[in-house]
Structure formats: C-alpha cells, structure tokens
Amino acid sequence: MSWLNYHHLLYFWTVARAGTIAKAGEELRLAQPTISSQIKLLEEALGHKLFERRGRKLVLTDVGRTVMRYADEIFRLGNELKNVVGGLPSGQQLRLQVGVADVVPKVVAERLLQPALDVGPLRLVCREGPLPQLLASLALHELDVVLADAPGSEPVSVRAFNHLLGKCGVSFFAAASHSHLRKGFPRSLDGAPMLMPSEASSVRHALDLWFEAQGVRPTIVGDFDDSALLKAFGQRGLGVFAMPSVIEAEVSRQFDVSVIGRTEEIENCFYAITVERRLRHPAVVAIAEAARSNIFS
C-alpha cells in the first residue's frame, strides 16, 4: 500500500497559494530546486501533472485544482487538531457563534450552552431568531451551530445536518392560584386558562393533538413567540403553561410556580444543526456530549 507524502503535499499547497516557487521558497525557507524536486515526486506518486507554466507563473491543472481542494481541507483539519489536542495559544480565545431558535426556552438554551464554557477560554456569540433565518446564516458560515427544537426542514434550501441532542416529555406549570388543577389532571385542564407557545413552535401542534386526544379544551388566553414572556405571565397567575420536563426544577424555582401534571406522550426534541456531517468544533462537541450523557440521559 502506497502512502501519500504529506511533506510533498505541503510544498505543493504552498506553491499553489503563493503562485511561484520563489515566493513559496521564501515562506518555507527552502531552496527552489528542493521544492521543485519534491513537487515532481508528488506528481509521480499521483500519476498526473499538477502545474503548468504560463509565463513566469505556475497555474494549476484540472487535477491540480482537485488536489488543492483536498489539501485545503487536510491542512485546515490539521490546524484544528493541533488546537484541540494541544490547547490554544496563551491568551487566544476559542470563538463559538451560536444561533438559538426563538422558540427554544431560554433555560434550555442556557443548559445546553453551559458545557461549551468549560472547554477553555471562549468567546460565546449568541444570536436569536426564526429557524429559517438562522439556517441561512449557518449556510453563509456566519454561525457555527444552530440550536433548535426541530430539525432543519427541506423547504429551507440549506445543506445542513441535524444532530439530535436529546428528547424529553412535557410538564405543566401554574402559579399557586391554579394549584387546584393538579387534582384530576389532565381532565382538570378542560376550560382552564392556557398560555401557549406560538404556532412556529414544533411543540404547539403536539400540544393541540394531545388536548384533543385527552378530550379537553383549555381556554387559550395567550400565544407567545417568546418563552420567557410566556413564563412571566404564568408566574403572574394568568394561566397554565407547558415546558420541557428536563428544566422542571429551574422553571419552578425561577418563576415560583409548581408542576400540576406531566406527560411523556408529547416529546420535546432538541437539535444541534451544523453544515458538517460530523461535529468538529470542540465547543459544539462538548455541548453534544453533555446533552446526551447528562442533560437528557
């Protein structure tokens, strides 16, 4: 089995970027004949010419352009590997640009993002918005990852990969003034005031179907895009609201509400959406591993 000589590939890659062997020699601190001979060995190993001369410049052949694309990826991954395994240079921050779909509860987003802060020096940049808008930014590489409660859908023309972080049931919360609804749940929800997530949320449709299956018709007193605003109204006693069971303790504590019932028949799913089939950013890897082993285990 023949192995690719990566030193030869590095010399080729440097010449292709520099445009001339002379400039590449200055960058690599090697004599021009040395570089020329190494590139010739690479061409012999691959069985194709990689450059053709046009005047004083070297221009990539069709095969050379193909090799260049692979070389770009190989050396990009090598640099990434060095940073991840060897640690970042002193004083340099890792940057993580995250899009959080506006229907994801803030408490869930905070719990998912927390493990990223343990990776090392990190500058966390968060953007919130509708999922299609965030996916468009992801496609332009303005974001490293999008956290959402639904996978990236086909109508959005973005080549993305959905990485399931975990799933959980739903808990129903209410202020003390509605604590009597705990008795006879879920039948007690019939006619009860209900604060609902907007129709943009994947869980809204699931809630509607579940109410229908249970034979109950709550009185919907509010629809909310912002889950924080929904919980604030719930805290004031304006209605019952549903949240992922995984953040049950946090919601009860922060908003002074109590659980009146739960169901596993409604699933909240959470995804990390990236343009990569495999997660590579060390902070995103940390998010996924913590979600699967601790948060949703």
Side-chain angles (χ1 to χ4, degrees):
M1 179 179 179
S2 61
W3 294 90
L4 180 65
N5 189 310
Y6 289 98
H7 283 97
H8 297 169
L9 186 66
L10 174 63
Y11 300 151
F12 157 78
W13 183 64
T14 305
V15 171
R17 289 188 299 112
T20 67
I21 292 178
K23 289 182 180 178
E26 293 175 4
E27 183 176 335
L28 294 168
R29 297 183 180 181
L30 292 173
Q32 293 184 41
T34 300
I35 296 175
S36 297
S37 63
Q38 300 300 304
I39 291 176
K40 185 176 180 181
L41 289 172
L42 178 63
E43 290 177 328
E44 291 174 356
L46 296 175
H48 292 278
K49 294 288 290 181
L50 302 177
F51 290 106
E52 58 184 15
R53 187 170 290 279
R54 292 183 187 172
R56 295 184 177 181
K57 285 195 171 184
L58 292 175
V59 180
L60 291 169
T61 64
D62 288 341
V63 173
R65 283 191 289 272
T66 299
V67 174
M68 185 63 180
R69 286 197 297 270
Y70 278 94
D72 280 336
E73 180 70 4
I74 287 169
F75 292 118
R76 185 191 68 78
L77 284 173
N79 188 57
E80 183 178 294
L81 174 64
K82 184 173 64 175
N83 284 341
V84 173
V85 176
L88 292 167
S90 178
Q92 181 175 333
Q93 286 182 308
L94 187 65
R95 185 181 179 92
L96 177 63
Q97 300 182 108
V98 182
V100 180
D102 51 13
V103 294
V104 173
K106 305 299 186 293
V107 181
V108 173
E110 188 276 332
R111 283 195 64 184
L112 289 174
L113 290 171
Q114 183 61 43
L117 302 176
D118 299 328
V119 171
L122 178 74
R123 180 173 179 178
L124 181 62
V125 180
C126 287
R127 289 177 52 191
E128 185 182 35
L131 182 56
Q133 178 182 316
L134 295 177
L135 290 177
S137 296
L138 182 71
L140 295 173
H141 300 280
E142 295 172 353
L143 297 172
D144 298 304
V145 64
V146 172
L147 301 181
D149 71 338
S153 56
E154 291 299 324
V156 181
S157 301
V158 175
R159 184 173 179 268
F161 297 93
N162 303 299
H163 309 274
L164 180 64
L165 299 176
K167 58 182 69 175
C168 65
V170 166
S171 297
F172 292 83
F173 300 85
S177 57
H178 296 296
S179 60
H180 62 279
L181 296 174
R182 189 178 292 109
K183 185 177 181 180
F185 178 89
R187 292 293 305 167
S188 59
L189 294 178
D190 193 43
M194 192 78 194
L195 304 169
M196 293 285 279
S198 72
E199 294 184 359
S201 169
S202 63
V203 76
R204 171 60 183 268
H205 182 60
L207 282 167
D208 288 336
L209 290 177
W210 186 76
F211 289 143
E212 185 177 345
Q214 300 302 315
V216 298
R217 297 184 63 182
T219 301
I220 298 175
V221 297
D223 296 79
F224 297 84
D225 287 326
D226 189 335
S227 65
L229 186 59
L230 182 152
K231 291 193 288 288
F233 275 88
Q235 182 180 24
R236 293 183 58 188
L238 298 182
V240 179
F241 61 95
M243 284 287 142
S245 295
V246 72
I247 55 171
E248 200 175 89
E250 291 93 331
V251 171
S252 297
R253 183 177 63 255
Q254 290 182 21
F255 295 92
D256 194 25
V257 292
S258 58
V259 176
I260 63 169
R262 305 176 182 84
T263 180
E264 295 294 327
E265 295 175 11
I266 301 174
E267 278 192 340
N268 281 275
C269 297
F270 296 96
Y271 297 86
I273 305 173
T274 68
V275 294
E276 302 166 328
R277 187 181 298 276
R278 292 186 298 110
L279 298 179
R280 290 174 176 167
H281 193 296
V284 179
V285 171
I287 288 170
E289 289 180 349
R292 293 164 181 166
S293 62
N294 298 323
I295 300 175
F296 295 103
S297 60

